[in-house]
Amino acid sequence: MGKQANAGPDGPGRRASDQGRFGPLRRERILAVALDVVDRDGLSGLTMRKLGAELGVEATALYRYAPSKDALLDGVVEEFYRELDHDLTPGPRPTPSPAQDWRAELHRIALAAYDVALRHPHVVPLMCARLLATPLARRPPPILRSDEHVLALLHDAGLDNPSAVRIHRAFTAWLLGYLLVELRAMDDDPDETDPAFRLGLHRIPEREFPRLRATAITLADRGGPVELEAGLDALLRGGPLPRTTRRMEH
C-alpha cells in the first residue's frame, strides 16, 4: 500500500494509489468523470469499478472521496448544479438593485437549467430522486447556492419570508416538473422513421386510450424554452401575488 499523505480538502489523505490517468485524484475530477459516464452510459452504467477504470485507479481509491454509491450520485447532482452556477455567472455582472425585475431573473435561471438538462438528460430524474432522499443540511454547496440565489433575489425584491418561500416552491416545482416531462422517454424504436411506429403506438389499444393515441405524436414533441417561459410567466403573473410585509415594486 502506498504512503498516505496529509489530509487535504479533496479527501482524507493522498496516497500513491490516488495517482490516476489525469494525475492526482481530486474530488471535482472524479465527479466530472462520473457525470461523463452517466451522459454516455446512463445511470445504470455508473459503478465504482467503471469509474475507477475511467480514471485509471482502483475502485477502492474512490471511496476516500465518495464513501458510498449514494454519495457518488449526490456528487453527480452536485456537478449538474455546479455547471448551472457556472452558466449563470459567465462574467462580471452588475449588482442587482431591489427594483430589479425578479421575474426576469427567474426566467434566466429556468432557461439556464433547461440548457444544462439538455446536456445531461440522465441526471434530471436523479436530481429529483436525490432531493427527496438527501436532507437539506447534507446537500452540497452548489445545490444550496441555487436555493440561496432564488430566495435572496425575492428578499431583495421586497418579499417577506412566507411569500418568498411560496414563490420559490412554485418556481422549483414548475421547473423540475417541466424538465421531467420534456425529457421523458417516448420513443419505442428510435431508429424507426415513421412517427407512429417510432413511438410504438401499435402497442397502445386505441379503444382504451383514444385521446392518448390521437395526441401521442404531438406529445412526443418537446415544448422547448418557449413553452417553459410561457408556463413560468403564467405561474408568476397569472394571479395576485401573495401579500407581503414589505413594499414591492409596481
Side-chain angles (χ1 to χ4, degrees):
M1 180 177 294
K3 182 179 179 181
Q4 183 171 346
N6 293 330
D10 295 310
R14 291 284 183 209
R15 303 185 184 185
S17 58
D18 287 349
Q19 290 290 333
R21 182 172 296 123
F22 303 101
L25 283 183
R26 295 178 59 86
R27 185 171 182 275
E28 288 191 8
R29 166 59 65 184
I30 293 171
L31 298 184
V33 174
L35 181 59
D36 289 341
V37 172
V38 170
D39 289 341
R40 186 187 68 218
D41 302 329
L43 289 172
S44 62
L46 179 62
T47 66
M48 289 293 196
R49 178 174 295 182
K50 178 180 288 187
L51 182 57
E54 294 281 338
L55 291 161
V57 299
E58 294 293 329
T60 53
L62 303 178
Y63 286 99
R64 293 191 288 277
Y65 304 88
S68 67
K69 180 65 177 291
D70 282 345
L72 182 60
L73 294 176
D74 284 338
V76 171
V77 176
E78 177 183 346
E79 276 299 293
F80 182 100
Y81 277 92
R82 182 177 287 110
E83 193 167 319
L84 173 60
D85 185 57
H86 177 270
D87 286 2
L88 285 170
T89 54
R93 294 177 57 82
T95 302
S97 68
Q100 179 191 30
D101 186 357
W102 54 270
R103 297 176 184 84
E105 178 64 8
L106 290 183
H107 276 261
R108 189 176 79 92
I109 295 170
L111 290 174
Y114 181 85
D115 287 341
V116 177
L118 289 186
R119 294 198 293 269
H120 309 294
H122 295 301
V123 181
V124 173
L126 174 64
M127 181 168 58
C128 296
R130 296 314 302 165
L131 289 177
L132 286 172
T134 308
L136 177 68
R138 295 183 181 274
R139 295 172 192 169
I143 299 177
L144 297 178
R145 275 195 291 272
S146 177
D147 290 321
E148 174 70 16
H149 178 61
V150 173
L151 291 170
L153 170 73
L154 298 173
H155 177 271
D156 291 344
L159 281 78
D160 63 6
N161 284 343
S163 299
V165 167
R166 284 193 288 271
I167 293 176
H168 173 269
R169 183 178 291 129
F171 170 74
T172 303
W174 167 251
L175 178 58
L176 290 179
Y178 188 88
L179 294 178
L180 282 173
V181 171
E182 188 82 337
L183 299 173
R184 61 184 169 174
M186 293 292 288
D187 288 345
D188 181 59
D189 184 358
D191 296 328
E192 176 60 59
T193 58
D194 184 284
F197 284 104
R198 186 179 71 250
L199 294 175
L201 296 189
H202 57 286
R203 304 181 188 278
I204 302 177
E206 186 170 8
R207 288 187 178 182
E208 191 173 356
F209 306 104
R211 296 317 309 161
L212 186 59
R213 279 281 300 263
T215 59
I217 293 176
T218 303
L219 282 174
D221 291 336
R222 286 180 174 171
V226 173
E227 289 190 13
L228 170 63
E229 288 202 275
L232 181 57
D233 193 55
L235 179 71
L236 298 177
R237 296 183 182 274
L241 290 173
R243 290 183 301 171
T244 67
T245 58
R246 300 174 64 191
R247 186 176 181 276
M248 290 178 56
E249 77 278 10
H250 296 288

